[in-house]
Coordinates of all heavy atoms in Angstrom, one line a residue:
M396 N 106.2 24.4 -92.8 CA 105.1 23.5 -92.8 C 104.9 22.7 -94.1 O 104.8 21.5 -94.2 CB 103.8 24.1 -92.3 CG 102.6 23.2 -92.2 SD 102.9 22.1 -90.8 CE 101.5 21.1 -90.8
V397 N 104.9 23.5 -95.2 CA 104.8 22.9 -96.5 C 105.9 21.9 -96.8 O 105.7 20.9 -97.4 CB 104.7 24.0 -97.6 CG1 104.7 23.4 -99.0 CG2 103.5 24.9 -97.4
Y398 N 107.1 22.4 -96.4 CA 108.3 21.5 -96.6 C 108.1 20.1 -95.9 O 108.5 19.1 -96.4 CB 109.6 22.2 -96.1 CG 109.9 23.4 -96.9 CD1 109.9 24.7 -96.3 CD2 110.1 23.3 -98.3 CE1 110.2 25.8 -97.0 CE2 110.5 24.5 -99.0 CZ 110.5 25.7 -98.4 OH 110.8 26.8 -99.1
Y399 N 107.5 20.2 -94.7 CA 107.4 18.8 -94.0 C 106.4 17.9 -94.8 O 106.6 16.7 -94.9 CB 106.8 19.1 -92.6 CG 107.9 19.7 -91.7 CD1 107.7 20.9 -91.1 CD2 109.1 19.0 -91.3 CE1 108.6 21.4 -90.2 CE2 110.0 19.5 -90.5 CZ 109.8 20.7 -89.9 OH 110.7 21.2 -89.1
I400 N 105.3 18.6 -95.3 CA 104.3 17.8 -96.0 C 104.9 17.2 -97.2 O 104.7 16.0 -97.5 CB 103.0 18.7 -96.3 CG1 102.4 19.0 -95.0 CG2 102.1 17.9 -97.2 CD1 101.3 20.1 -95.1
V401 N 105.6 18.1 -98.0 CA 106.2 17.6 -99.3 C 107.3 16.5 -99.0 O 107.3 15.5 -99.6 CB 106.9 18.8 -100.0 CG1 107.7 18.3 -101.2 CG2 105.8 19.8 -100.5
G402 N 108.0 16.8 -97.9 CA 109.1 15.8 -97.5 C 108.4 14.4 -97.1 O 108.9 13.4 -97.5
A403 N 107.3 14.5 -96.3 CA 106.6 13.2 -95.9 C 106.1 12.5 -97.1 O 106.1 11.3 -97.2 CB 105.5 13.6 -95.0
I404 N 105.5 13.2 -98.1 CA 105.0 12.6 -99.4 C 106.1 11.9 -100.1 O 105.9 10.8 -100.6 CB 104.2 13.7 -100.2 CG1 102.9 14.1 -99.5 CG2 103.9 13.1 -101.6 CD1 102.2 15.2 -100.2
L405 N 107.2 12.6 -100.3 CA 108.3 12.1 -101.0 C 108.9 10.8 -100.3 O 109.2 9.8 -101.0 CB 109.5 13.1 -101.2 CG 109.2 14.2 -102.2 CD1 110.3 15.2 -102.2 CD2 109.0 13.6 -103.6
L406 N 108.9 10.9 -99.0 CA 109.4 9.7 -98.2 C 108.5 8.5 -98.4 O 109.0 7.4 -98.6 CB 109.6 10.1 -96.7 CG 110.1 9.0 -95.8 CD1 111.6 8.7 -96.2 CD2 110.0 9.4 -94.4
L407 N 107.2 8.8 -98.3 CA 106.2 7.7 -98.5 C 106.3 7.1 -99.9 O 106.2 5.9 -100.1 CB 104.8 8.2 -98.2 CG 104.4 8.4 -96.8 CD1 103.1 9.1 -96.6 CD2 104.5 7.1 -96.0
W408 N 106.5 8.0 -100.9 CA 106.6 7.5 -102.3 C 107.9 6.6 -102.4 O 107.8 5.6 -103.0 CB 106.7 8.7 -103.2 CG 106.9 8.4 -104.6 CD1 106.1 7.9 -105.6 CD2 108.2 8.5 -105.3 NE1 106.7 7.7 -106.8 CE2 108.0 8.1 -106.6 CE3 109.5 9.0 -104.9 CZ2 109.1 8.1 -107.5 CZ3 110.5 8.9 -105.9 CH2 110.3 8.5 -107.1
F409 N 109.0 7.1 -101.9 CA 110.2 6.3 -101.9 C 110.1 5.0 -101.2 O 110.5 3.9 -101.8 CB 111.3 7.1 -101.3 CG 112.6 6.4 -101.2 CD1 113.4 6.2 -102.3 CD2 113.0 5.9 -100.0 CE1 114.6 5.5 -102.2 CE2 114.2 5.2 -99.9 CZ 115.0 5.0 -101.0
L410 N 109.5 5.0 -100.0 CA 109.4 3.7 -99.3 C 108.4 2.7 -99.9 O 108.6 1.5 -99.9 CB 108.9 4.0 -97.9 CG 109.9 4.7 -97.0 CD1 109.3 5.1 -95.6 CD2 111.1 3.9 -96.8
G411 N 107.4 3.3 -100.6 CA 106.4 2.4 -101.3 C 107.1 1.8 -102.5 O 107.0 0.6 -102.7
G412 N 107.9 2.6 -103.2 CA 108.7 2.0 -104.4 C 109.6 0.9 -103.9 O 109.8 -0.1 -104.5
L413 N 110.4 1.2 -102.9 CA 111.3 0.3 -102.3 C 110.6 -1.0 -101.9 O 111.1 -2.1 -102.2 CB 112.0 0.9 -101.1 CG 113.3 0.2 -100.6 CD1 114.4 0.1 -101.6 CD2 113.8 0.8 -99.4
S414 N 109.5 -0.9 -101.2 CA 108.8 -2.1 -100.8 C 108.3 -2.9 -102.0 O 108.4 -4.1 -101.9 CB 107.6 -1.6 -99.9 OG 106.6 -2.5 -99.9
R415 N 107.8 -2.3 -103.0 CA 107.3 -3.0 -104.2 C 108.5 -3.7 -104.8 O 108.4 -4.9 -105.3 CB 106.7 -2.0 -105.2 CG 105.2 -1.8 -104.9 CD 104.6 -1.1 -106.1 NE 105.1 0.2 -106.4 CZ 104.9 1.3 -105.7 NH1 104.0 1.3 -104.8 NH2 105.4 2.5 -106.1
K416 N 109.6 -3.1 -104.9 CA 110.8 -3.6 -105.5 C 111.3 -4.9 -104.8 O 111.6 -5.9 -105.4 CB 112.0 -2.6 -105.6 CG 113.0 -2.9 -106.5 CD 114.0 -1.8 -106.7 CE 115.0 -2.1 -107.7 NZ 115.8 -1.0 -108.1
L417 N 111.3 -4.8 -103.4 CA 111.7 -5.9 -102.6 C 110.8 -7.1 -102.8 O 111.2 -8.3 -102.8 CB 111.8 -5.5 -101.2 CG 113.0 -4.6 -100.8 CD1 112.9 -4.1 -99.4 CD2 114.3 -5.3 -101.1
R418 N 109.5 -6.8 -102.9 CA 108.5 -7.9 -103.0 C 108.6 -8.6 -104.3 O 108.4 -9.8 -104.4 CB 107.1 -7.3 -102.9 CG 106.5 -7.5 -101.4 CD 105.1 -7.1 -101.3 NE 105.0 -5.6 -101.2 CZ 104.3 -4.8 -101.9 NH1 103.5 -5.3 -102.9 NH2 104.3 -3.5 -101.7
R419 N 109.0 -7.8 -105.3 CA 109.2 -8.5 -106.7 C 110.5 -9.1 -106.9 O 110.7 -9.8 -108.0 CB 108.9 -7.3 -107.8 CG 107.5 -6.8 -107.9 CD 107.5 -5.7 -108.9 NE 106.2 -5.1 -108.9 CZ 106.0 -3.9 -109.4 NH1 107.0 -3.2 -109.9 NH2 104.8 -3.3 -109.4
R420 N 111.4 -8.9 -106.1 CA 112.8 -9.3 -106.3 C 112.9 -10.8 -106.6 O 113.7 -11.2 -107.5 CB 113.7 -9.0 -105.0 CG 115.2 -9.1 -105.3 CD 115.9 -8.6 -104.1 NE 115.5 -9.2 -102.9 CZ 116.0 -9.0 -101.7 NH1 117.0 -8.2 -101.6 NH2 115.5 -9.6 -100.7
N421 N 112.2 -11.6 -106.0 CA 112.3 -13.1 -106.2 C 111.2 -13.6 -107.1 O 110.9 -14.8 -107.2 CB 112.2 -13.8 -104.9 CG 113.5 -13.5 -104.1 OD1 114.6 -13.5 -104.7 ND2 113.3 -13.3 -102.8
K422 N 110.5 -12.7 -107.9 CA 109.4 -13.1 -108.7 C 109.8 -13.0 -110.2 O 110.6 -12.2 -110.5 CB 108.2 -12.2 -108.5 CG 107.7 -12.1 -107.0 CD 107.0 -13.3 -106.6 CE 106.5 -13.3 -105.3 NZ 105.9 -14.5 -104.8
V423 N 109.1 -13.8 -111.0 CA 109.4 -13.8 -112.4 C 108.2 -14.3 -113.2 O 107.3 -14.9 -112.6 CB 110.6 -14.6 -112.8 CG1 110.3 -16.1 -112.6 CG2 111.2 -14.3 -114.1
I424 N 108.1 -13.9 -114.4 CA 107.0 -14.3 -115.3 C 107.1 -15.8 -115.6 O 108.1 -16.4 -115.8 CB 106.8 -13.4 -116.5 CG1 105.5 -13.6 -117.2 CG2 107.9 -13.9 -117.5 CD1 104.4 -13.0 -116.3
H425 N 105.9 -16.4 -115.7 CA 105.8 -17.9 -116.0 C 104.7 -18.1 -117.1 O 103.7 -17.5 -117.0 CB 105.5 -18.7 -114.8 CG 105.2 -20.1 -115.1 ND1 106.1 -21.0 -115.6 CD2 104.0 -20.8 -115.0 CE1 105.5 -22.2 -115.8 NE2 104.3 -22.1 -115.5
I426 N 105.0 -18.8 -118.1 CA 104.0 -19.1 -119.2 C 103.3 -20.4 -119.0 O 103.9 -21.4 -118.7 CB 104.7 -19.3 -120.6 CG1 105.8 -18.2 -120.8 CG2 103.7 -19.2 -121.7 CD1 105.4 -16.8 -120.9
V427 N 102.0 -20.3 -119.0 CA 101.2 -21.6 -119.0 C 100.9 -21.9 -120.5 O 100.0 -21.4 -121.1 CB 99.8 -21.3 -118.3 CG1 99.0 -22.6 -118.2 CG2 100.0 -20.8 -116.9
E428 N 101.8 -22.7 -121.0 CA 101.9 -22.9 -122.5 C 100.6 -23.5 -123.0 O 100.2 -23.1 -124.2 CB 103.0 -23.9 -122.8 CG 104.4 -23.2 -122.7 CD 105.6 -24.1 -123.1 OE1 105.3 -25.2 -123.6 OE2 106.7 -23.7 -122.8
D429 N 99.9 -24.3 -122.3 CA 98.6 -24.9 -122.9 C 97.6 -23.8 -123.1 O 96.7 -24.0 -123.9 CB 98.1 -25.9 -121.8 CG 98.8 -27.2 -121.8 OD1 99.7 -27.4 -122.7 OD2 98.7 -28.0 -120.9
N430 N 97.7 -22.7 -122.4 CA 96.7 -21.6 -122.6 C 97.1 -20.6 -123.7 O 96.3 -19.8 -124.1 CB 96.4 -20.9 -121.3 CG 95.7 -21.8 -120.3 OD1 95.3 -22.9 -120.5 ND2 95.6 -21.2 -119.0
C431 N 98.3 -20.6 -124.0 CA 98.8 -19.5 -124.9 C 98.4 -19.8 -126.4 O 98.6 -20.8 -126.9 CB 100.4 -19.5 -124.8 SG 101.1 -18.2 -125.9
T432 N 97.8 -18.7 -127.0 CA 97.4 -18.8 -128.4 C 98.4 -18.2 -129.3 O 98.2 -18.3 -130.6 CB 96.1 -18.0 -128.6 OG1 96.3 -16.7 -128.3 CG2 95.0 -18.6 -127.7
G433 N 99.5 -17.6 -128.8 CA 100.5 -17.0 -129.6 C 100.0 -15.6 -130.2 O 100.5 -15.2 -131.2
C434 N 99.1 -15.0 -129.5 CA 98.6 -13.7 -130.1 C 99.5 -12.5 -130.0 O 99.4 -11.5 -130.6 CB 97.3 -13.3 -129.4 SG 97.5 -12.8 -127.6
K435 N 100.6 -12.6 -129.2 CA 101.7 -11.6 -129.0 C 101.3 -10.4 -128.3 O 102.1 -9.4 -128.3 CB 102.3 -11.2 -130.4 CG 102.8 -12.4 -131.1 CD 103.9 -12.0 -132.2 CE 103.2 -11.6 -133.5 NZ 104.2 -11.4 -134.6
R436 N 100.1 -10.3 -127.7 CA 99.7 -9.1 -126.9 C 100.7 -8.8 -125.8 O 101.1 -7.7 -125.6 CB 98.4 -9.3 -126.3 CG 97.2 -9.1 -127.3 CD 95.9 -9.5 -126.7 NE 95.6 -8.5 -125.6 CZ 94.8 -7.5 -125.7 NH1 94.1 -7.4 -126.8 NH2 94.6 -6.7 -124.7
C437 N 101.2 -9.9 -125.1 CA 102.1 -9.7 -124.0 C 103.5 -9.3 -124.5 O 104.1 -8.4 -123.8 CB 102.3 -11.1 -123.3 SG 102.7 -12.4 -124.4
I438 N 103.9 -9.7 -125.7 CA 105.2 -9.3 -126.2 C 105.2 -7.9 -126.5 O 106.2 -7.1 -126.2 CB 105.6 -10.1 -127.5 CG1 105.7 -11.6 -127.1 CG2 106.9 -9.6 -128.1 CD1 105.9 -12.5 -128.3
K439 N 104.1 -7.4 -127.1 CA 104.1 -5.9 -127.4 C 104.0 -5.1 -126.1 O 104.5 -4.0 -126.0 CB 102.8 -5.7 -128.2 CG 102.9 -6.2 -129.6 CD 101.6 -6.0 -130.4 CE 101.6 -6.8 -131.6 NZ 100.3 -7.1 -132.1
R440 N 103.4 -5.6 -125.0 CA 103.2 -4.8 -123.8 C 104.5 -4.8 -123.0 O 104.7 -3.8 -122.3 CB 102.1 -5.5 -122.9 CG 101.7 -4.8 -121.7 CD 101.2 -3.4 -122.0 NE 99.9 -3.4 -122.7 CZ 98.8 -3.5 -122.1 NH1 98.7 -3.4 -120.8 NH2 97.7 -3.5 -122.8
C441 N 105.3 -5.8 -123.0 CA 106.5 -5.8 -122.2 C 107.6 -4.9 -122.7 O 108.0 -5.0 -123.8 CB 107.2 -7.3 -122.2 SG 108.7 -7.3 -121.2
R442 N 108.0 -3.9 -121.9 CA 108.9 -2.9 -122.2 C 110.4 -3.3 -122.1 O 111.3 -2.6 -122.5 CB 108.7 -1.7 -121.4 CG 107.5 -0.8 -121.7 CD 107.2 0.1 -120.7 NE 106.5 -0.5 -119.6 CZ 105.9 0.1 -118.6 NH1 106.0 1.4 -118.5 NH2 105.4 -0.6 -117.6
R443 N 110.6 -4.5 -121.6 CA 112.0 -5.0 -121.3 C 112.4 -6.2 -122.2 O 113.4 -6.8 -122.0 CB 112.1 -5.4 -119.9 CG 111.9 -4.2 -119.0 CD 112.0 -4.5 -117.5 NE 113.4 -4.9 -117.2 CZ 114.4 -4.1 -116.8 NH1 114.1 -2.8 -116.8 NH2 115.5 -4.6 -116.5
Q444 N 111.6 -6.5 -123.3 CA 111.9 -7.6 -124.2 C 112.2 -8.9 -123.5 O 113.1 -9.6 -123.9 CB 113.0 -7.1 -125.1 CG 112.7 -6.1 -126.1 CD 112.8 -4.6 -125.5 OE1 113.8 -4.4 -124.8 NE2 111.8 -3.8 -125.7
V445 N 111.4 -9.2 -122.5 CA 111.6 -10.4 -121.8 C 111.1 -11.6 -122.6 O 111.6 -12.8 -122.6 CB 110.9 -10.4 -120.5 CG1 110.9 -11.7 -119.7 CG2 111.6 -9.3 -119.5
L446 N 109.9 -11.4 -123.3 CA 109.2 -12.5 -123.9 C 109.5 -12.6 -125.4 O 109.8 -11.6 -126.1 CB 107.8 -12.3 -123.7 CG 107.3 -12.1 -122.3 CD1 105.9 -11.6 -122.2 CD2 107.5 -13.4 -121.5
D447 N 109.3 -13.8 -126.0 CA 109.5 -14.0 -127.4 C 108.5 -15.1 -127.9 O 108.0 -15.8 -127.1 CB 110.9 -14.3 -127.8 CG 111.3 -14.0 -129.2 OD1 110.4 -13.5 -129.9 OD2 112.4 -14.3 -129.6
L448 N 108.3 -15.2 -129.2 CA 107.4 -16.2 -129.7 C 108.3 -17.4 -130.2 O 109.3 -17.1 -130.8 CB 106.6 -15.6 -130.9 CG 105.3 -16.3 -131.2 CD1 104.4 -16.4 -130.0 CD2 104.7 -15.7 -132.5
A449 N 107.9 -18.6 -129.9 CA 108.6 -19.8 -130.4 C 107.5 -20.8 -130.9 O 106.4 -20.7 -130.5 CB 109.3 -20.4 -129.2
G450 N 108.0 -21.6 -131.8 CA 107.1 -22.6 -132.4 C 107.7 -24.0 -132.1 O 108.8 -24.2 -132.1
D451 N 106.7 -25.0 -131.9 CA 107.1 -26.4 -131.8 C 106.0 -27.2 -132.3 O 105.1 -26.7 -133.0 CB 107.5 -26.7 -130.3 CG 106.3 -26.5 -129.4 OD1 105.1 -26.4 -129.8 OD2 106.6 -26.4 -128.2
E452 N 106.0 -28.5 -132.1 CA 105.0 -29.4 -132.6 C 103.6 -29.1 -132.2 O 102.6 -29.4 -132.9 CB 105.4 -30.8 -132.4 CG 105.4 -31.2 -130.9 CD 106.7 -30.9 -130.2 OE1 107.6 -30.4 -130.8 OE2 106.7 -31.1 -129.0
T453 N 103.5 -28.3 -131.0 CA 102.2 -28.0 -130.6 C 101.6 -26.6 -131.1 O 100.6 -26.2 -130.8 CB 102.1 -27.9 -129.0 OG1 103.0 -26.9 -128.6 CG2 102.4 -29.3 -128.4
G454 N 102.5 -25.9 -131.9 CA 102.1 -24.6 -132.4 C 102.9 -23.5 -131.9 O 104.0 -23.8 -131.2
K455 N 102.5 -22.2 -132.1 CA 103.3 -21.1 -131.6 C 102.8 -20.7 -130.2 O 101.7 -20.7 -129.9 CB 103.1 -20.0 -132.6 CG 103.8 -20.2 -133.9 CD 104.1 -18.9 -134.6 CE 104.8 -19.2 -135.9 NZ 105.9 -18.4 -136.2
H456 N 103.8 -20.4 -129.4 CA 103.5 -19.9 -128.1 C 104.6 -19.1 -127.6 O 105.7 -19.0 -128.1 CB 103.2 -21.0 -127.1 CG 104.4 -22.0 -126.9 ND1 105.4 -21.7 -126.1 CD2 104.6 -23.1 -127.6 CE1 106.3 -22.7 -126.2 NE2 105.8 -23.6 -127.1
V457 N 104.4 -18.3 -126.5 CA 105.4 -17.4 -126.0 C 106.3 -18.2 -125.1 O 106.0 -19.1 -124.4 CB 104.6 -16.2 -125.2 CG1 105.6 -15.6 -124.2 CG2 104.1 -15.2 -126.1
V458 N 107.6 -17.7 -125.1 CA 108.6 -18.2 -124.2 C 109.3 -17.0 -123.4 O 109.3 -15.9 -123.9 CB 109.7 -19.0 -124.9 CG1 109.1 -20.3 -125.5 CG2 110.3 -18.2 -126.0
V459 N 109.9 -17.4 -122.3 CA 110.6 -16.4 -121.5 C 112.0 -16.4 -122.0 O 112.8 -17.3 -121.6 CB 110.5 -16.7 -120.0 CG1 111.2 -15.6 -119.2 CG2 109.0 -16.8 -119.5
K460 N 112.4 -15.4 -122.8 CA 113.7 -15.4 -123.4 C 114.8 -14.8 -122.5 O 115.9 -15.3 -122.5 CB 113.6 -14.6 -124.7 CG 114.8 -14.7 -125.5 CD 114.6 -13.9 -126.8 CE 115.8 -14.0 -127.8 NZ 115.6 -13.1 -128.9
H461 N 114.4 -13.8 -121.7 CA 115.4 -13.2 -120.8 C 114.8 -13.0 -119.4 O 114.3 -11.9 -119.0 CB 115.7 -11.8 -121.3 CG 116.4 -11.8 -122.7 ND1 117.6 -12.3 -122.9 CD2 115.9 -11.3 -123.9 CE1 117.9 -12.2 -124.2 NE2 116.8 -11.6 -124.8
P462 N 114.7 -14.1 -118.6 CA 114.1 -14.1 -117.3 C 114.8 -13.1 -116.4 O 114.2 -12.5 -115.5 CB 114.2 -15.5 -116.8 CG 115.2 -16.2 -117.7 CD 115.2 -15.5 -119.0
D463 N 116.1 -12.9 -116.6 CA 116.8 -12.0 -115.7 C 116.4 -10.5 -115.9 O 116.6 -9.7 -115.0 CB 118.3 -12.2 -116.0 CG 118.7 -12.1 -117.5 OD1 117.9 -12.8 -118.3 OD2 119.5 -11.4 -118.0
K464 N 115.8 -10.2 -117.0 CA 115.3 -8.8 -117.3 C 113.9 -8.5 -116.7 O 113.5 -7.4 -116.7 CB 115.3 -8.5 -118.8 CG 116.6 -8.4 -119.4 CD 116.4 -7.9 -120.9 CE 117.6 -7.8 -121.7 NZ 117.3 -7.4 -123.1
C465 N 113.2 -9.6 -116.3 CA 111.8 -9.4 -115.9 C 111.8 -8.8 -114.5 O 112.4 -9.2 -113.6 CB 111.1 -10.8 -115.8 SG 109.4 -10.7 -115.3
T466 N 110.9 -7.7 -114.4 CA 110.8 -7.0 -113.1 C 109.5 -7.4 -112.4 O 109.2 -6.9 -111.3 CB 110.7 -5.5 -113.4 OG1 109.6 -5.2 -114.2 CG2 112.0 -5.0 -114.0
A467 N 108.8 -8.4 -112.9 CA 107.5 -8.9 -112.3 C 106.5 -7.8 -112.2 O 105.7 -7.8 -111.3 CB 107.8 -9.6 -111.0
C468 N 106.5 -6.9 -113.2 CA 105.6 -5.7 -113.1 C 104.2 -6.1 -113.4 O 103.3 -5.4 -112.9 CB 106.0 -4.7 -114.2 SG 105.8 -5.2 -115.9
G469 N 103.9 -7.2 -114.1 CA 102.6 -7.7 -114.3 C 101.9 -7.1 -115.5 O 100.7 -7.5 -115.8
D470 N 102.5 -6.3 -116.2 CA 101.9 -5.6 -117.4 C 101.4 -6.7 -118.5 O 100.3 -6.6 -119.0 CB 102.8 -4.6 -118.1 CG 103.0 -3.3 -117.3 OD1 102.3 -3.2 -116.3 OD2 103.9 -2.5 -117.6
C471 N 102.3 -7.7 -118.7 CA 101.9 -8.7 -119.6 C 100.7 -9.5 -119.1 O 99.9 -10.0 -119.9 CB 103.2 -9.5 -120.0 SG 103.8 -10.3 -118.5
V472 N 100.7 -9.8 -117.9 CA 99.6 -10.6 -117.3 C 98.3 -9.9 -117.5 O 97.3 -10.5 -117.9 CB 99.8 -10.8 -115.8 CG1 98.7 -11.6 -115.2 CG2 101.1 -11.5 -115.5
K473 N 98.3 -8.6 -117.4 CA 97.0 -7.8 -117.6 C 96.7 -7.9 -119.1 O 95.5 -7.8 -119.4 CB 97.2 -6.3 -117.1 CG 97.3 -6.2 -115.7 CD 97.5 -4.8 -115.2 CE 98.2 -4.7 -113.9 NZ 99.0 -3.5 -113.7
A474 N 97.6 -7.9 -120.0 CA 97.4 -7.8 -121.4 C 96.9 -9.2 -121.9 O 96.2 -9.2 -123.0 CB 98.7 -7.5 -122.1
C475 N 97.2 -10.2 -121.3 CA 96.8 -11.6 -121.8 C 95.3 -11.9 -121.4 O 94.9 -11.8 -120.3 CB 97.7 -12.6 -121.1 SG 97.2 -14.3 -121.7
K476 N 94.6 -12.2 -122.5 CA 93.1 -12.6 -122.3 C 92.8 -14.0 -122.2 O 91.7 -14.5 -122.1 CB 92.3 -12.0 -123.6 CG 92.5 -10.6 -123.9 CD 91.9 -9.7 -122.8 CE 92.1 -8.3 -123.1 NZ 92.0 -7.4 -121.9
F477 N 94.0 -14.8 -122.1 CA 93.8 -16.3 -122.1 C 94.3 -17.0 -120.9 O 94.6 -18.2 -120.8 CB 94.4 -16.9 -123.4 CG 93.9 -16.3 -124.6 CD1 94.4 -15.2 -125.3 CD2 92.7 -16.8 -125.2 CE1 93.9 -14.7 -126.4 CE2 92.1 -16.3 -126.3 CZ 92.7 -15.2 -126.9
N478 N 94.6 -16.2 -119.8 CA 95.1 -16.8 -118.6 C 96.3 -17.6 -118.8 O 96.6 -18.7 -118.1 CB 94.1 -17.7 -118.0 CG 93.4 -17.0 -116.7 OD1 93.8 -16.0 -116.3 ND2 92.3 -17.7 -116.3
A479 N 97.3 -17.1 -119.6 CA 98.4 -17.9 -120.0 C 99.7 -17.4 -119.3 O 100.7 -17.9 -119.6 CB 98.6 -17.9 -121.5
L480 N 99.5 -16.4 -118.5 CA 100.7 -15.8 -117.8 C 100.5 -15.7 -116.3 O 99.4 -15.4 -115.9 CB 101.0 -14.4 -118.4 CG 101.4 -14.3 -119.8 CD1 101.4 -12.9 -120.3 CD2 102.8 -15.0 -120.1
E481 N 101.5 -16.0 -115.6 CA 101.4 -15.8 -114.1 C 102.7 -15.4 -113.5 O 103.8 -15.8 -114.1 CB 100.8 -17.0 -113.4 CG 101.6 -18.3 -113.7 CD 100.9 -19.5 -113.3 OE1 99.7 -19.5 -113.1 OE2 101.7 -20.6 -113.0
I482 N 102.7 -14.6 -112.4 CA 103.9 -14.3 -111.8 C 104.2 -15.4 -110.7 O 103.3 -15.7 -109.9 CB 103.8 -12.9 -111.1 CG1 103.4 -11.8 -112.1 CG2 105.1 -12.6 -110.3 CD1 104.5 -11.4 -113.0
M483 N 105.4 -15.9 -110.7 CA 105.7 -16.9 -109.7 C 107.1 -16.7 -109.1 O 107.9 -15.9 -109.6 CB 105.6 -18.3 -110.3 CG 106.6 -18.7 -111.3 SD 106.3 -20.3 -112.0 CE 106.3 -21.3 -110.6
D484 N 107.3 -17.5 -108.0 CA 108.6 -17.3 -107.3 C 109.7 -17.9 -108.2 O 109.6 -19.0 -108.8 CB 108.5 -18.1 -106.0 CG 109.5 -17.7 -105.0 OD1 110.7 -17.8 -105.3 OD2 109.1 -17.2 -103.9
K485 N 110.8 -17.2 -108.3 CA 112.0 -17.7 -109.1 C 112.5 -19.0 -108.7 O 112.9 -19.8 -109.5 CB 113.1 -16.7 -109.0 CG 113.0 -15.5 -109.9 CD 114.2 -14.6 -109.8 CE 114.1 -13.4 -110.6 NZ 115.0 -12.3 -110.3
R486 N 112.4 -19.3 -107.4 CA 113.0 -20.6 -106.8 C 112.2 -21.7 -107.3 O 112.7 -22.8 -107.2 CB 113.1 -20.5 -105.3 CG 114.2 -19.5 -104.8 CD 114.0 -19.1 -103.5 NE 112.8 -18.3 -103.3 CZ 112.6 -17.5 -102.2 NH1 113.4 -17.5 -101.3 NH2 111.5 -16.7 -102.2
E487 N 110.9 -21.5 -107.6 CA 110.1 -22.7 -108.1 C 110.2 -22.9 -109.6 O 109.8 -23.9 -110.1 CB 108.6 -22.3 -107.9 CG 108.2 -22.2 -106.4 CD 106.8 -21.7 -106.2 OE1 106.0 -21.9 -107.1 OE2 106.6 -21.0 -105.3
R488 N 110.9 -22.0 -110.3 CA 110.9 -22.0 -111.8 C 112.4 -22.4 -112.1 O 113.3 -21.7 -111.8 CB 110.5 -20.7 -112.3 CG 110.5 -20.6 -113.8 CD 109.2 -21.2 -114.4 NE 109.2 -21.1 -115.8 CZ 109.3 -22.1 -116.7 NH1 109.5 -23.3 -116.2 NH2 109.3 -21.9 -117.9
K489 N 112.5 -23.4 -113.0 CA 113.8 -23.7 -113.6 C 113.8 -23.4 -115.1 O 112.9 -23.9 -115.8 CB 114.1 -25.2 -113.3 CG 114.1 -25.6 -111.9 CD 115.5 -25.4 -111.3 CE 115.5 -25.9 -109.8 NZ 115.0 -25.0 -108.9
Y490 N 114.7 -22.6 -115.5 CA 114.8 -22.3 -117.0 C 115.9 -23.1 -117.6 O 117.0 -23.3 -117.0 CB 115.2 -20.8 -117.1 CG 114.0 -20.0 -116.8 CD1 113.9 -19.3 -115.5 CD2 112.9 -19.8 -117.7 CE1 112.8 -18.6 -115.3 CE2 111.8 -19.1 -117.4 CZ 111.8 -18.5 -116.2 OH 110.7 -17.7 -115.8
K491 N 115.7 -23.5 -118.8 CA 116.7 -24.2 -119.6 C 117.7 -23.2 -120.0 O 117.4 -22.1 -120.5 CB 116.1 -24.9 -120.8 CG 115.2 -26.0 -120.5 CD 114.4 -26.5 -121.8 CE 113.3 -27.3 -121.4 NZ 112.3 -27.3 -122.4
S492 N 119.0 -23.5 -120.0 CA 120.1 -22.6 -120.4 C 120.5 -22.9 -121.9 O 120.1 -23.9 -122.4 CB 121.2 -22.6 -119.5 OG 121.7 -23.9 -119.4
Ligands
SF4_1969 S1 99.0 -12.5 -124.5 FE1 98.6 -14.5 -123.6 S2 97.8 -15.8 -125.3 FE2 98.7 -14.0 -126.2 S3 100.8 -14.6 -126.7 FE3 100.9 -13.7 -124.7 S4 100.7 -15.4 -123.2 FE4 100.0 -16.2 -125.2
SF4_1970 S1 106.1 -9.0 -115.8 FE1 106.7 -7.1 -116.8 S2 108.9 -7.2 -117.2 FE2 108.2 -9.3 -116.8 S3 107.7 -10.1 -118.8 FE3 105.8 -9.3 -118.0 S4 105.7 -7.1 -118.7 FE4 107.9 -7.9 -119.0

């Protein structure tokens, strides 16, 4: 009986993870540059080194350096206090190469 319960829990855990992965497959992080202050909180939070800081005539702001590495986990979105990050569909986003 215990084996059935443990097996069911493991199966649910596996299916939950698979479902989350499939939902995120076509998602990627997007920067709302006008809101970004360049505080770097998101860069420190991202474990996959997706983000980097860049400067231009408007000042310093974050850029998506490695969009292919982004898992759309949302950790950086939670870390940003300025509403400068959002998860969006990859097909809507065009990156410069
Ligand atoms: S946490 Fe937000 S405001 Fe700070 S650098 Fe990242 S995107 Fe910009
Ligand atoms: S969504 Fe996750 S993987 Fe993508 S940039 Fe943010 S913290 Fe990194």
